[in-house]
Amino acid sequence: MREMSREEIEHILNTAERAEFRGDMLQGRVMCTLFFEPSTRTRLSFEAAMKRLGGEVVGFSKPGAASLSKGENLTDTIRTVSCYSDVIVLRHPREGAARLAAEVSDVPVINAGDGSNQHPTQALTDLYTIRKEHGTLRVRVAMVGDLKYARTVRSLGHGLAKFGARIMLSSPPGLEMSPELMEELEGMGARVEVCSLEEAVERAEVLYVTRIQKERFPDPEEYRKVQGAYRITPELLEGAPQNLVVLHPLPRVDEISPEVDHTPRARYFHQVRNSIPVRMAVLALLLGVV
Ligand code: CP
């Protein structure tokens, strides 16, 4: 997301919005999904998007069954898979894995999440949802929760900054956004401020809630210290601005109470639905059919 221009982002969002897709656009094309970390939404929505465009899907979600378990390295795996497919979707725990893959692949590589670094198609989905809800991306977005390890925060921050958004940050102690990233976002055009959860709810137009990324903590004891540190409830949202919507990239654990799901502010399952036109647009654009 750091490298995409505002115009490129808008082009993807506009393509998704027009939804001028034909069911045979990607007929004869093959997408390969390589998931080295668990996923429900990203893998299945990419697969659904590809199939809705008439394409085929191969790949794995259990790397233990692939030749990597015999000692093959990632670059040989990517070189091999790029002989079989037209586009690769890669999720990997190592930061920079998608960039490395793109350097050795003969076909486009889509980063479906690389460690704590980036998750660009989630950010595009988030931007699409925010624009749909508010009609603009020049909004006040409060990012709540794990601002240290959540890759969705980093990618969305880069995207929002290009549109001059105001970014409010509320996190438990130890999970703050790094000063380097805050500075970078400001340099890209965002106005960034740290606030309490109460201030975020009072003033934001979008509450972007994230899960504490338990799997990224080097020390489980550190996770236990922050576990359950915040929870969005209908009571907390009482008195929030009329236009405040709650987003979450999901999966959630306990950071949004299920009672919020029944309020008009909850938009996280709309967000899930929006990932389909966005990922269809990404595939169709990368493969040159729109
Ligand atoms: N939002 C997201 O990346 O979800 P998954 O981990 O289920 O793919």
PDB file of all heavy atoms in Angstrom, residues 35 38-43 91 112 119 122 151-152 249-251 279, ligand 1:
ATOM      1  N   PHE A  35      -0.952 -20.563   1.132  1.00  0.00           N
ATOM      2  CA  PHE A  35      -1.211 -20.002   2.464  1.00  0.00           C
ATOM      3  C   PHE A  35      -0.400 -20.746   3.511  1.00  0.00           C
ATOM      4  O   PHE A  35      -0.690 -21.892   3.841  1.00  0.00           O
ATOM      5  CB  PHE A  35      -2.725 -20.021   2.771  1.00  0.00           C
ATOM      6  CG  PHE A  35      -3.426 -18.815   2.194  1.00  0.00           C
ATOM      7  CD1 PHE A  35      -3.504 -18.634   0.827  1.00  0.00           C
ATOM      8  CD2 PHE A  35      -3.950 -17.831   3.015  1.00  0.00           C
ATOM      9  CE1 PHE A  35      -4.093 -17.501   0.277  1.00  0.00           C
ATOM     10  CE2 PHE A  35      -4.550 -16.698   2.482  1.00  0.00           C
ATOM     11  CZ  PHE A  35      -4.625 -16.536   1.111  1.00  0.00           C
ATOM     12  N   PRO A  38      -2.922 -19.568   8.761  1.00  0.00           N
ATOM     13  CA  PRO A  38      -4.372 -19.793   8.652  1.00  0.00           C
ATOM     14  C   PRO A  38      -5.102 -18.590   8.058  1.00  0.00           C
ATOM     15  O   PRO A  38      -4.666 -17.454   8.211  1.00  0.00           O
ATOM     16  CB  PRO A  38      -4.809 -20.007  10.112  1.00  0.00           C
ATOM     17  CG  PRO A  38      -3.570 -20.318  10.865  1.00  0.00           C
ATOM     18  CD  PRO A  38      -2.438 -19.648  10.142  1.00  0.00           C
ATOM     19  N   SER A  39      -6.206 -18.875   7.398  1.00  0.00           N
ATOM     20  CA  SER A  39      -7.053 -17.812   6.837  1.00  0.00           C
ATOM     21  C   SER A  39      -8.437 -18.388   6.590  1.00  0.00           C
ATOM     22  O   SER A  39      -8.564 -19.539   6.174  1.00  0.00           O
ATOM     23  CB  SER A  39      -6.465 -17.321   5.515  1.00  0.00           C
ATOM     24  OG  SER A  39      -7.388 -16.506   4.829  1.00  0.00           O
ATOM     25  N   THR A  40      -9.449 -17.580   6.822  1.00  0.00           N
ATOM     26  CA  THR A  40     -10.806 -17.931   6.369  1.00  0.00           C
ATOM     27  C   THR A  40     -11.184 -16.975   5.241  1.00  0.00           C
ATOM     28  O   THR A  40     -11.457 -17.382   4.109  1.00  0.00           O
ATOM     29  CB  THR A  40     -11.813 -17.824   7.533  1.00  0.00           C
ATOM     30  OG1 THR A  40     -11.454 -18.780   8.519  1.00  0.00           O
ATOM     31  CG2 THR A  40     -13.241 -18.113   7.047  1.00  0.00           C
ATOM     32  N   ARG A  41     -11.197 -15.673   5.543  1.00  0.00           N
ATOM     33  CA  ARG A  41     -11.720 -14.683   4.605  1.00  0.00           C
ATOM     34  C   ARG A  41     -10.834 -14.494   3.375  1.00  0.00           C
ATOM     35  O   ARG A  41     -11.329 -14.519   2.244  1.00  0.00           O
ATOM     36  CB  ARG A  41     -11.865 -13.316   5.305  1.00  0.00           C
ATOM     37  CG  ARG A  41     -13.112 -13.176   6.115  1.00  0.00           C
ATOM     38  CD  ARG A  41     -12.856 -12.342   7.333  1.00  0.00           C
ATOM     39  NE  ARG A  41     -12.019 -13.098   8.249  1.00  0.00           N
ATOM     40  CZ  ARG A  41     -12.519 -13.926   9.174  1.00  0.00           C
ATOM     41  NH1 ARG A  41     -13.800 -14.018   9.328  1.00  0.00           N
ATOM     42  NH2 ARG A  41     -11.735 -14.643   9.946  1.00  0.00           N
ATOM     43  N   THR A  42      -9.556 -14.280   3.575  1.00  0.00           N
ATOM     44  CA  THR A  42      -8.708 -13.891   2.438  1.00  0.00           C
ATOM     45  C   THR A  42      -8.640 -15.020   1.412  1.00  0.00           C
ATOM     46  O   THR A  42      -8.850 -14.801   0.219  1.00  0.00           O
ATOM     47  CB  THR A  42      -7.300 -13.504   2.936  1.00  0.00           C
ATOM     48  OG1 THR A  42      -7.444 -12.601   4.025  1.00  0.00           O
ATOM     49  CG2 THR A  42      -6.489 -12.858   1.840  1.00  0.00           C
ATOM     50  N   ARG A  43      -8.360 -16.221   1.892  1.00  0.00           N
ATOM     51  CA  ARG A  43      -8.220 -17.333   0.929  1.00  0.00           C
ATOM     52  C   ARG A  43      -9.549 -17.621   0.243  1.00  0.00           C
ATOM     53  O   ARG A  43      -9.625 -17.711  -0.980  1.00  0.00           O
ATOM     54  CB  ARG A  43      -7.694 -18.587   1.629  1.00  0.00           C
ATOM     55  CG  ARG A  43      -7.407 -19.724   0.646  1.00  0.00           C
ATOM     56  CD  ARG A  43      -6.709 -20.886   1.318  1.00  0.00           C
ATOM     57  NE  ARG A  43      -7.517 -21.554   2.303  1.00  0.00           N
ATOM     58  CZ  ARG A  43      -8.406 -22.514   2.038  1.00  0.00           C
ATOM     59  NH1 ARG A  43      -8.606 -22.908   0.797  1.00  0.00           N
ATOM     60  NH2 ARG A  43      -9.105 -23.080   3.009  1.00  0.00           N
ATOM     61  N   ARG A  91       0.197 -15.909   1.375  1.00  0.00           N
ATOM     62  CA  ARG A  91       0.223 -15.465   2.783  1.00  0.00           C
ATOM     63  C   ARG A  91       1.366 -16.191   3.467  1.00  0.00           C
ATOM     64  O   ARG A  91       1.492 -17.413   3.340  1.00  0.00           O
ATOM     65  CB  ARG A  91      -1.095 -15.770   3.493  1.00  0.00           C
ATOM     66  CG  ARG A  91      -0.981 -15.521   5.003  1.00  0.00           C
ATOM     67  CD  ARG A  91      -2.302 -15.536   5.725  1.00  0.00           C
ATOM     68  NE  ARG A  91      -3.107 -14.370   5.386  1.00  0.00           N
ATOM     69  CZ  ARG A  91      -4.261 -14.088   5.983  1.00  0.00           C
ATOM     70  NH1 ARG A  91      -4.722 -14.872   6.931  1.00  0.00           N
ATOM     71  NH2 ARG A  91      -4.941 -13.021   5.632  1.00  0.00           N
ATOM     72  N   ALA A 112      -1.130 -11.568   0.412  1.00  0.00           N
ATOM     73  CA  ALA A 112      -2.330 -11.831   1.222  1.00  0.00           C
ATOM     74  C   ALA A 112      -1.998 -11.752   2.708  1.00  0.00           C
ATOM     75  O   ALA A 112      -2.717 -12.306   3.537  1.00  0.00           O
ATOM     76  CB  ALA A 112      -2.904 -13.200   0.860  1.00  0.00           C
ATOM     77  N   HIS A 119      -1.090  -6.071   4.477  1.00  0.00           N
ATOM     78  CA  HIS A 119      -2.214  -6.897   3.990  1.00  0.00           C
ATOM     79  C   HIS A 119      -3.009  -6.004   3.037  1.00  0.00           C
ATOM     80  O   HIS A 119      -4.104  -5.536   3.352  1.00  0.00           O
ATOM     81  CB  HIS A 119      -3.055  -7.338   5.185  1.00  0.00           C
ATOM     82  CG  HIS A 119      -4.065  -8.405   4.885  1.00  0.00           C
ATOM     83  ND1 HIS A 119      -4.359  -8.838   3.603  1.00  0.00           N
ATOM     84  CD2 HIS A 119      -4.857  -9.140   5.713  1.00  0.00           C
ATOM     85  CE1 HIS A 119      -5.284  -9.784   3.670  1.00  0.00           C
ATOM     86  NE2 HIS A 119      -5.600  -9.981   4.933  1.00  0.00           N
ATOM     87  N   GLN A 122      -6.787  -6.388   2.053  1.00  0.00           N
ATOM     88  CA  GLN A 122      -7.692  -6.076   3.167  1.00  0.00           C
ATOM     89  C   GLN A 122      -7.860  -4.558   3.251  1.00  0.00           C
ATOM     90  O   GLN A 122      -8.973  -4.058   3.434  1.00  0.00           O
ATOM     91  CB  GLN A 122      -7.136  -6.635   4.478  1.00  0.00           C
ATOM     92  CG  GLN A 122      -8.011  -6.326   5.695  1.00  0.00           C
ATOM     93  CD  GLN A 122      -9.387  -6.979   5.630  1.00  0.00           C
ATOM     94  OE1 GLN A 122      -9.494  -8.164   5.380  1.00  0.00           O
ATOM     95  NE2 GLN A 122     -10.441  -6.207   5.838  1.00  0.00           N
ATOM     96  N   ARG A 151      -1.114  -6.108  10.768  1.00  0.00           N
ATOM     97  CA  ARG A 151      -0.703  -5.672   9.424  1.00  0.00           C
ATOM     98  C   ARG A 151      -1.824  -4.895   8.728  1.00  0.00           C
ATOM     99  O   ARG A 151      -1.566  -4.063   7.855  1.00  0.00           O
ATOM    100  CB  ARG A 151      -0.286  -6.886   8.589  1.00  0.00           C
ATOM    101  CG  ARG A 151      -1.328  -7.989   8.493  1.00  0.00           C
ATOM    102  CD  ARG A 151      -0.711  -9.286   8.009  1.00  0.00           C
ATOM    103  NE  ARG A 151      -1.634 -10.416   8.047  1.00  0.00           N
ATOM    104  CZ  ARG A 151      -1.242 -11.679   8.064  1.00  0.00           C
ATOM    105  NH1 ARG A 151       0.025 -11.981   8.055  1.00  0.00           N
ATOM    106  NH2 ARG A 151      -2.126 -12.653   8.082  1.00  0.00           N
ATOM    107  N   THR A 152      -3.063  -5.166   9.116  1.00  0.00           N
ATOM    108  CA  THR A 152      -4.178  -4.443   8.487  1.00  0.00           C
ATOM    109  C   THR A 152      -4.107  -2.955   8.836  1.00  0.00           C
ATOM    110  O   THR A 152      -4.453  -2.112   8.024  1.00  0.00           O
ATOM    111  CB  THR A 152      -5.532  -5.022   8.945  1.00  0.00           C
ATOM    112  OG1 THR A 152      -5.605  -4.955  10.376  1.00  0.00           O
ATOM    113  CG2 THR A 152      -5.692  -6.455   8.506  1.00  0.00           C
ATOM    114  N   PRO A 249     -11.355  -6.025  10.547  1.00  0.00           N
ATOM    115  CA  PRO A 249     -10.979  -6.916   9.435  1.00  0.00           C
ATOM    116  C   PRO A 249     -11.360  -8.375   9.698  1.00  0.00           C
ATOM    117  O   PRO A 249     -11.385  -9.181   8.773  1.00  0.00           O
ATOM    118  CB  PRO A 249      -9.466  -6.741   9.339  1.00  0.00           C
ATOM    119  CG  PRO A 249      -9.026  -6.249  10.686  1.00  0.00           C
ATOM    120  CD  PRO A 249     -10.178  -5.461  11.240  1.00  0.00           C
ATOM    121  N   LEU A 250     -11.611  -8.694  10.977  1.00  0.00           N
ATOM    122  CA  LEU A 250     -11.930 -10.060  11.400  1.00  0.00           C
ATOM    123  C   LEU A 250     -10.731 -10.985  11.127  1.00  0.00           C
ATOM    124  O   LEU A 250      -9.960 -10.695  10.227  1.00  0.00           O
ATOM    125  CB  LEU A 250     -13.202 -10.586  10.731  1.00  0.00           C
ATOM    126  CG  LEU A 250     -14.469  -9.715  10.936  1.00  0.00           C
ATOM    127  CD1 LEU A 250     -15.653 -10.378  10.207  1.00  0.00           C
ATOM    128  CD2 LEU A 250     -14.818  -9.541  12.405  1.00  0.00           C
ATOM    129  N   PRO A 251     -10.534 -12.077  11.836  1.00  0.00           N
ATOM    130  CA  PRO A 251     -11.438 -12.591  12.862  1.00  0.00           C
ATOM    131  C   PRO A 251     -11.401 -11.757  14.143  1.00  0.00           C
ATOM    132  O   PRO A 251     -10.383 -11.152  14.453  1.00  0.00           O
ATOM    133  CB  PRO A 251     -10.868 -13.988  13.127  1.00  0.00           C
ATOM    134  CG  PRO A 251      -9.415 -13.884  12.804  1.00  0.00           C
ATOM    135  CD  PRO A 251      -9.328 -12.921  11.662  1.00  0.00           C
ATOM    136  N   ARG A 279     -11.669  -7.910  -4.619  1.00  0.00           N
ATOM    137  CA  ARG A 279     -10.683  -8.920  -5.067  1.00  0.00           C
ATOM    138  C   ARG A 279     -10.948  -9.322  -6.513  1.00  0.00           C
ATOM    139  O   ARG A 279      -9.997  -9.631  -7.250  1.00  0.00           O
ATOM    140  CB  ARG A 279     -10.674 -10.104  -4.088  1.00  0.00           C
ATOM    141  CG  ARG A 279     -10.048  -9.652  -2.762  1.00  0.00           C
ATOM    142  CD  ARG A 279      -9.801 -10.726  -1.747  1.00  0.00           C
ATOM    143  NE  ARG A 279      -8.954 -10.174  -0.698  1.00  0.00           N
ATOM    144  CZ  ARG A 279      -9.267 -10.131   0.609  1.00  0.00           C
ATOM    145  NH1 ARG A 279     -10.407 -10.646   1.035  1.00  0.00           N
ATOM    146  NH2 ARG A 279      -8.436  -9.597   1.482  1.00  0.00           N
TER     147      ARG A 279
HETATM  148  N1   CP B   1      -9.096 -10.355   7.425  1.00  0.00           N
HETATM  149  C1   CP B   1      -8.372 -11.470   7.233  1.00  0.00           C
HETATM  150  O1   CP B   1      -7.246 -11.432   6.739  1.00  0.00           O
HETATM  151  O2   CP B   1      -8.999 -12.626   7.622  1.00  0.00           O
HETATM  152  P1   CP B   1      -8.394 -14.080   7.455  1.00  0.00           P
HETATM  153  O3   CP B   1      -7.184 -14.176   8.353  1.00  0.00           O
HETATM  154  O4   CP B   1      -9.506 -15.006   7.885  1.00  0.00           O
HETATM  155  O5   CP B   1      -8.007 -14.266   6.016  1.00  0.00           O
END
